[in-house]
Amino acid sequence: MAESESTPAAAPQASASSPAGSPPPTTAPAAAASTPASPSAAEQPAADAQIAVDSNPIYHPQPLEDDDDNDSSLGDENALSTASISSSILQYRKLHGRTYHNFGGADKVEYWAPNDDAQNDQLDINHHLLNLALDNKLFFAPLSKPTRVLDVGTGTGMWAIDFADEFPDCEVTGIDLSPIQPTWVPPNCKFELDDASQPWTFPDNHFDYIHFRYMIGCFKDWPAVYREAYRCLKPGGWIEHLDCTADVLSDDGSLPKDTVFVEWKKVFKEAGDKMGQTFEVVDNDNYVGWLKEAGFKDVKNTIIKTPVGSWPADPKWKEVGQFNQYMLDGGIEGLGLYIITNVLGWKYEEMQVFIAKVRAGLRNKNWHSYCVWGAAWGQKPYDE
């Protein structure tokens, strides 16, 4: 077990029984804070039902439909700084109207989340709500004047851009499977297409800091990925990984034990087992053990709870909860579509019914629920 920080500098003070970054307990919601940009809660649909999950442990990726509607002009709007984009990469795969990356082919590089505008908007909202929750702190590691930083799985690039703005003398590189990053970025920020599950092409002892965020279900061998990061870090450099679980929980007894969230968690567990790409990275401090296995020292970790909905009395956490509910309400289909239909083999209509019940649970104002995020960071020893 790693040394766990109970109150990170970026997060508010928590009670003795709550992890760092937790919303304070409340018995009655206070008046809403003045947050005109915050989304409002939606109405509640129907109740949940039991689901069946295929237990076959062997996963063979199913091909997605060809994206006949792909616009080749995307190459201009999402230009990468150091890589030319082949037309095949921009010919995104399709599943029920959602698009997915086409880097390396589905049989070689399997990633479960869409890369379309609808899902990318949710990534940006998620980045914003985490900034709110962490008081705009982008990292926990004790960094000092970094000169080269790598953001693995950069997504829409918002974290990399914010970091580059905060450290204008630092060269920030973001890598991802999809060219979905903006063109207008700080001069010290660049994006590259790359697959971090393969041996890295970066030189030894190159970066001061390597950052991972929101990467559950991405890799078959996390220790191997961390070892590549270890190799590419300078002695004394830091690695940090912030990620979530598939849990939706409550601390005050308002959430029944048999909610649809139990099945939601089960779906991700079964899909991760079938793909060989676990979604249980933060669970049981798995990533802490993997970091230590890769050779990192002084590994620490903390937990952040992000409420769902406007139930917290504290204005800050009320706003976090409103954005979290808005993000999940709009992004829940993208989170579940691929793994439920293409991995677990459900019919699309069955998936839609299930997603509607998960969304109903997220909108339930009587449930004081929250999502669980964890951050772990460690250092490459100076004597390497």
Side-chain angles (χ1 to χ4, degrees):
M1 177 69 75
E3 178 185 350
S4 178
E5 292 199 351
S6 60
T7 310
Q13 294 291 333
S15 66
S17 60
S18 300
S22 304
T26 180
T27 55
S34 176
T35 52
S38 300
S40 59
E43 296 301 320
Q44 174 183 335
D48 47 284
Q50 297 296 317
I51 60 172
V53 178
D54 184 356
S55 60
N56 181 5
I58 306 299
Y59 172 56
H60 302 287
Q62 302 176 27
L64 304 185
E65 305 166 22
D66 290 334
D67 186 358
D68 297 328
D69 300 325
N70 180 66
D71 184 354
S72 62
S73 66
L74 284 172
D76 297 327
E77 297 175 3
N78 298 280
L80 297 182
S81 59
T82 60
S84 60
I85 306 176
S86 69
S87 60
S88 63
I89 291 175
L90 290 173
Q91 292 171 358
Y92 297 141
R93 300 170 296 146
K94 271 190 174 179
L95 179 66
H96 298 294
R98 306 299 298 268
T99 64
Y100 294 78
H101 84 89
N102 199 29
F103 185 97
D107 292 334
K108 296 180 180 178
V109 185
E110 197 59 23
Y111 180 57
W112 54 274
N115 65 358
D116 50 28
D117 288 344
Q119 203 68 19
N120 295 340
D121 287 345
Q122 308 313 312
L123 289 178
D124 290 345
I125 296 169
N126 192 65
H127 177 70
H128 177 66
L129 74 88
L130 286 172
N131 279 352
L132 289 174
L134 301 177
D135 298 324
N136 292 312
K137 188 175 178 65
L138 296 172
F139 53 89
F140 289 102
L143 304 183
S144 177
K145 297 181 180 179
T147 58
R148 286 197 194 97
V149 165
L150 178 66
D151 184 27
V152 180
T154 195
T156 58
M158 292 299 99
W159 184 91
I161 291 170
D162 285 354
F163 193 97
D165 281 336
E166 185 171 337
F167 295 92
D169 295 328
C170 177
E171 178 185 288
V172 181
T173 302
I175 61 173
D176 201 272
L177 296 172
S178 294
I180 56 176
Q181 301 78 33
T183 302
W184 292 95
V185 299
N188 58 321
C189 181
K190 63 180 179 179
F191 298 110
E192 299 176 2
L193 280 176
D194 207 347
D195 174 16
S197 69
Q198 302 300 313
W200 293 10
T201 57
F202 299 107
D204 296 353
N205 308 318
H206 188 66
F207 295 104
D208 299 288
Y209 177 60
I210 297 179
H211 173 262
F212 296 79
R213 178 175 290 197
Y214 208 10
M215 299 287 287
I216 57 171
C218 286
F219 299 129
K220 295 183 183 298
D221 190 347
W222 269 106
V225 174
Y226 286 159
R227 284 193 295 271
E228 284 294 277
Y230 186 95
R231 176 183 64 80
C232 295
L233 277 171
K234 298 175 183 177
W238 289 87
I239 187 174
E240 184 167 338
H241 187 170
L242 188 149
D243 227 315
C244 63
T245 73
D247 292 301
V248 180
L249 305 174
S250 177
D251 289 335
D252 63 3
S254 63
L255 194 65
K257 294 182 179 180
D258 58 348
T259 68
V260 68
F261 302 138
V262 176
E263 299 297 338
W264 177 255
K265 172 79 170 181
K266 181 181 178 182
V267 160
F268 279 89
K269 174 70 168 69
E270 295 284 350
D273 290 347
K274 199 167 185 180
M275 291 190 295
Q277 298 174 196
T278 183
F279 288 86
E280 296 186 337
V281 174
V282 175
D283 305 66
N284 304 312
D285 288 343
N286 287 330
Y287 61 163
V288 171
W290 298 331
L291 286 170
K292 291 181 177 180
E293 181 182 334
F296 291 100
K297 306 298 183 183
D298 195 24
V299 178
K300 295 180 173 65
N301 68 305
T302 191
I303 292 293
I304 307 102
K305 298 178 182 180
T306 55
V308 179
S310 57
W311 60 264
D314 182 273
K316 167 189 163 176
W317 291 108
K318 182 183 292 290
E319 185 175 15
V320 171
Q322 289 170 332
F323 274 105
N324 200 21
Q325 182 174 15
Y326 183 69
M327 183 273 295
L328 291 170
D329 197 81
I332 197 74
E333 181 189 79
L335 296 177
L337 175 61
Y338 183 89
I339 66 169
I340 293 174
T341 61
N342 217 54
V343 178
L344 299 182
W346 294 22
K347 294 180 180 178
Y348 178 70
E349 295 75 16
E350 294 173 333
M351 184 278 301
Q352 288 284 20
V353 170
F354 178 59
I355 290 297
K357 292 170 182 178
V358 175
R359 188 178 284 120
L362 294 169
R363 294 176 179 177
N364 192 321
K365 296 179 180 180
N366 296 319
W367 294 351
H368 297 167
S369 57
Y370 61 81
C371 301
V372 179
W373 290 80
W377 58 100
Q379 187 177 35
K380 180 176 179 177
Y382 283 99
D383 57 1
E384 286 295 316

